[in-house]
Amino acid sequence: MDADSIYKSVVEKDEKYVMQTYGRKPLLFVKGEGTNLIDVYGKRYIDCVSGIAVNATGYSNQRLVKAIQTQAENLIHVSNYYYNIPQANLAEKIIQITGMSRVFFCNSGAEANDGALKLAKIHTKKDNFISTLHAFHGRTIGSLGTTANQKYRDPFVPMVKPATFVDYGNAGAIEKAIDKTIAAVILEPVQGEGGVHVPKNEYFKEVREICDKKGILMIIDEVQTGFGRTGKWFCKDHYGVQPDILTMSKAIAGGIPMGAFAAREGLSFGKGEHGTTFGGGPLASAAALAVIETIEEEKLLDNAAKMGDYFMKKLAGMKRKDVVAIRGKGLIIGVEFNHECAYLMDEALKMGVLVNVISGNVLRLIPPLNITKEDIDRVVEVIDSIQKPVQ
Ligand code: PMP
């Protein structure tokens, strides 16, 4: 079949058989290489969406490919009734890089947050949570209660009890919202889906102190920011704060589904209190170990920090006059425009650059952590060159 026929048949099957929940772009990718995705026609794109941040190591990373291959030949999955080698090694590694005490493995970000909420509930014997406006913590029936956007929540209420939502970046607002029913506050260290909001440096320390003073738990959701995205293993490390529970997913296993949450000393589930079939399976765990090794050996934390600074400087130097703010940490960057900017996403892809738009007027840039200056120069050139369409 030629490329056109493959493209058409895929779109046809998708439209006929898949629940139409995603607003798909007219693109069909068949390969990834470094920071590039390649479509069915052979056209290359610099990926600044990066599978929504699952990609720390770049596409087709050989260490990752080999680790998956070798593990698949030996043992793809085994029940959590038994031990497995990659899970034990990964657990040790995660505890080292997070500074937490114990970890539970699951399969996605939402599931990690669900587990964290359950752990907070069973530990504190309290039912309610505080979250922040614009927060995104997932769409399972539990995590949805802490996701701010009512569009996602309303159709399912009263099944989900929504959290109390307070302003992001304001520790005093959290303190005010705490009453005797609150188990925990859940926070992203940089709000990703909500528009790339970076709080002031003291925020997390202040929240930590309030949680300790009031006896509630602090959950930090590093699903989007973890594994080097902000230039450190975890974004909390910029703020010098340890949460009670840290949740992670996305980049952890380089695209093989995995989630995890880690808790501090003295905070853990007991036998039978939580579980999941695939959590910490050998294949996903071997992939995660390879991702962590690659980040270490290719010094991707440093690269994310350096390239993040370079990216922000280049963006600040653009000629266009409609930018209101450029914010970010490492390689999670938001460019806010004074108008709706979805057209930028559509025009950029024609020019071989993938970006996405959140909250209507914020362009989000989350490339693989091995992005180069040349890639960044091209991405900024493309963004700067796209004219706002005349209405
Ligand atoms: N938390 C955060 C901060 C996220 O960005 C996301 C996904 N965008 C999630 C949780 C949910 O993760 P998943 O889609 O794997 O359930």
Side-chain angles (χ1 to χ4, degrees):
M1 268 210 279
D2 62 7
D4 245 342
S5 315
I6 297 173
Y7 179 80
K8 282 193 186 118
S9 98
V10 168
V11 172
E12 199 179 299
K13 285 179 195 165
D14 184 283
E15 287 178 352
K16 196 160 168 195
Y17 302 121
V18 178
M19 292 194 192
Q20 296 294 296
T21 53
Y22 303 107
R24 298 208 204 270
K25 298 283 158 206
L27 287 174
L28 173 59
F29 290 114
V30 292
K31 195 168 166 51
E33 251 177 38
T35 54
N36 285 186
L37 278 170
I38 301 163
D39 75 9
V40 70
Y41 300 99
K43 180 173 166 182
R44 277 179 180 270
Y45 299 78
I46 302 173
D47 183 9
C48 286
V49 178
S50 187
I52 308 295
V54 305
N55 197 332
T57 62
Y59 292 101
S60 312
N61 177 279
Q62 282 310 297
R63 185 192 306 267
L64 178 58
V65 171
K66 294 243 164 62
I68 292 169
Q69 205 170 2
T70 307
Q71 189 57 47
E73 279 163 10
N74 286 322
L75 181 65
I76 291 177
H77 184 65
V78 68
S79 161
N80 274 311
Y81 281 137
Y82 312 105
Y83 297 105
N84 81 67
I85 296 170
Q87 183 180 135
N89 289 338
L90 178 62
E92 180 182 47
K93 206 70 198 169
I94 297 258
I95 293 313
Q96 264 171 23
I97 63 175
T98 59
M100 305 298 284
S101 167
R102 282 177 192 276
V103 62
F104 179 92
F105 293 108
C106 54
N107 310 285
S108 72
E111 199 191 337
N113 286 331
D114 257 21
L117 300 177
K118 276 180 73 178
L119 181 57
K121 237 174 133 146
I122 203 164
H123 181 78
T124 61
K125 303 192 173 49
K126 292 179 180 169
D127 291 328
N128 295 332
F129 295 93
I130 296 171
S131 181
T132 52
L133 294 167
H134 309 291
F136 189 93
H137 297 296
R139 302 202 211 197
T140 55
I141 210 82
S143 65
L144 193 53
T146 60
T147 289
N149 196 329
Q150 280 177 281
K151 179 176 85 181
Y152 301 141
R153 263 190 295 120
D154 278 356
F156 305 101
V157 169
M159 285 167 77
V160 179
K161 186 165 183 208
T164 303
F165 293 93
V166 301
D167 277 339
Y168 185 69
N170 177 351
I174 293 175
E175 182 158 24
K176 254 198 217 135
I178 296 174
D179 63 26
K180 60 183 187 328
T181 72
I182 298 293
V185 59
I186 181 165
L187 295 169
E188 292 158 88
V190 169
Q191 280 189 332
E193 302 301 312
V196 190
H197 297 291
V198 184
K200 61 179 189 340
N201 278 335
E202 315 82 75
Y203 180 54
F204 277 78
K205 274 221 167 94
E206 289 168 8
V207 175
R208 181 69 269 179
E209 279 165 22
I210 289 165
C211 289
D212 290 343
K213 190 170 84 186
K214 298 276 189 175
I216 72 162
L217 300 181
M218 180 179 193
I219 303 170
I220 298 190
D221 174 348
E222 296 248 17
V223 167
Q224 189 155 154
T225 48
F227 295 91
R229 173 108 340 244
T230 67
K232 293 195 185 281
W233 279 113
F234 293 91
C235 190
K236 68 173 178 62
D237 302 332
H238 291 283
Y239 306 129
V241 163
Q242 279 298 90
D244 297 289
I245 310 174
L246 181 79
T247 66
M248 48 213 126
S249 187
K250 290 201 192 280
I252 186 171
I256 303 283
M258 179 175 256
F261 55 95
R264 63 148 164 83
E265 187 72 47
L267 190 54
S268 182
F269 280 124
K271 286 230 163 22
E273 281 179 348
H274 198 51
T276 180
T277 299
F278 290 116
L283 189 71
S285 298
L289 281 165
V291 167
I292 293 172
E293 269 171 37
T294 307
I295 293 174
E296 281 169 344
E297 295 211 354
E298 296 184 12
K299 302 195 171 25
L300 293 179
L301 301 183
D302 275 357
N303 199 59
K306 282 193 197 121
M307 290 302 112
D309 285 347
Y310 182 75
F311 217 150
M312 301 252 277
K313 280 197 192 103
K314 290 293 284 188
L315 288 162
M318 290 194 298
K319 292 186 296 297
R320 56 187 314 149
K321 296 281 177 276
D322 51 358
V323 174
V324 179
I326 298 167
R327 36 179 195 257
K329 232 178 180 42
L331 285 172
I332 177 167
I333 298 171
V335 185
E336 184 173 331
F337 290 87
N338 62 11
H339 55 77
E340 246 278 342
C341 63
Y343 69 94
L344 274 169
M345 180 163 54
D346 298 330
E347 290 305 311
L349 72 85
K350 291 181 196 157
M351 299 165 80
V353 168
L354 301 175
V355 294
N356 86 327
V357 169
I358 43 181
S359 317
N361 65 338
V362 180
L363 193 74
R364 179 175 47 169
L365 302 159
I366 38 177
L369 305 189
N370 61 353
I371 193 161
T372 61
K373 282 188 174 171
E374 293 72 46
D375 287 330
I376 292 170
D377 290 348
R378 175 67 188 147
V379 172
V380 174
E381 180 186 36
V382 164
I383 297 171
D384 206 10
S385 73
I386 299 168
Q387 304 286 324
K388 188 180 165 202
V390 263
Q391 305 291 326

